[in-house]
């Protein structure tokens, strides 16, 4: 099994996105194209600020979800089905590389400036903004594992 991509900070994500912009040919494993992967990551960042459309039951969030986040957070990376949409989120049609990168960069910039409470994660439940930043880094890194360039 290849070593997973790990982003330790949002700055590392920004750097990876800039490198992705420079790539001439990007192939993606899985069912989604590059834009769909990046837009999905953008959705999760956006939902952390406005609320997730369909949260898992609170008991799930406080047990299985919390344990999953703690495991991911302790090892520094996440694994999940990278073709599974956020429950209740708008389906994403294929679009383009640059549009996906710009959407994710914009979402991350808004998140960094966000000074209101974050909303509970649909599966992990209540997280602090710092925990959400780490969750976003791990989530985006897991999707980057699908890219070859």
């Amino acid at each position: 099994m290849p070593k997973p991509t790990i982003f330790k900070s949002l700055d590392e994500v920004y750097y990876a996105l800039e490198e992705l912009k420079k790539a001439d040919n990007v192939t993606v494993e899985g069912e989604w194209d590059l834009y769909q992967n990046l837009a999905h990551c953008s959705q999760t960042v956006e939902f952390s600020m406005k609320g997730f459309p369909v949260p898992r039951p609170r008991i799930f969030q406080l047990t299985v979800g919390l344990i999953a986040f703690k495991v991911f957070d302790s090892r520094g990376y996440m694994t999940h089905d990278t073709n599974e949409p956020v429950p209740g989120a708008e389906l994403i049609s294929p679009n383009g590389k640059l549009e996906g990168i710009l959407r994710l960069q914009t979402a991350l910039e808004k998140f960094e400036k966000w000074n209101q409470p974050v909303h509970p994660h649909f599966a992990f439940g209540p997280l602090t903004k710092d925990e959400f930043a780490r969750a976003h880094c791990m989530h985006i890194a897991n999707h980057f594992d699908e890219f070859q360039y």
Side-chain angles (χ1 to χ4, degrees):
M1 181 172 164
K3 185 176 178 183
T5 301
I6 295 175
F7 296 139
K8 294 181 182 178
S9 69
L10 294 177
D11 285 342
E12 290 185 12
V13 175
Y14 288 123
Y15 178 81
L17 289 169
E18 288 300 320
E19 291 299 304
L20 189 59
K21 277 184 192 176
K22 298 174 190 174
D24 289 329
N25 186 28
V26 181
T27 58
V28 182
E29 292 181 21
E31 299 169 19
W32 291 350
D33 73 359
L34 181 64
Y35 176 80
Q36 290 168 304
N37 276 275
L38 295 172
H40 164 79
C41 292
S42 301
Q43 283 180 327
T44 62
V45 175
E46 295 158 0
F47 290 146
S48 67
M49 294 177 281
K50 68 182 181 181
F52 286 80
V54 181
R56 298 257 179 148
R58 184 103 169 117
I59 190 72
F60 179 94
Q61 292 177 356
L62 297 176
T63 55
V64 175
L66 179 62
I67 292 167
F69 175 75
K70 289 194 178 294
V71 168
F72 296 153
D73 198 29
S74 70
R75 68 183 187 189
Y77 67 93
M78 152 189 312
T79 55
H80 75 296
D81 181 351
T82 55
N83 295 304
E84 184 178 347
V86 174
E90 176 183 322
L91 294 179
I92 304 164
S93 298
N95 193 337
K97 177 175 109 173
L98 186 58
E99 293 82 0
I101 292 169
L102 295 176
R103 179 175 175 183
L104 184 51
Q105 287 174 322
T106 299
L108 290 169
E109 288 166 2
K110 286 180 183 177
F111 176 79
E112 285 192 296
K113 294 175 185 171
W114 189 255
N115 61 7
Q116 299 175 40
V118 290
H119 290 267
H121 187 274
F122 80 95
F124 302 147
L127 299 176
T128 66
K129 186 175 179 193
D130 287 342
E131 288 171 329
F132 246 123
R134 293 194 306 274
H136 292 324
C137 287
M138 292 185 289
H139 182 233
I140 295 164
N142 192 199
H143 281 271
F144 262 75
D145 287 337
E146 303 292 306
F147 309 158
Q148 293 84 42
Y149 56 100

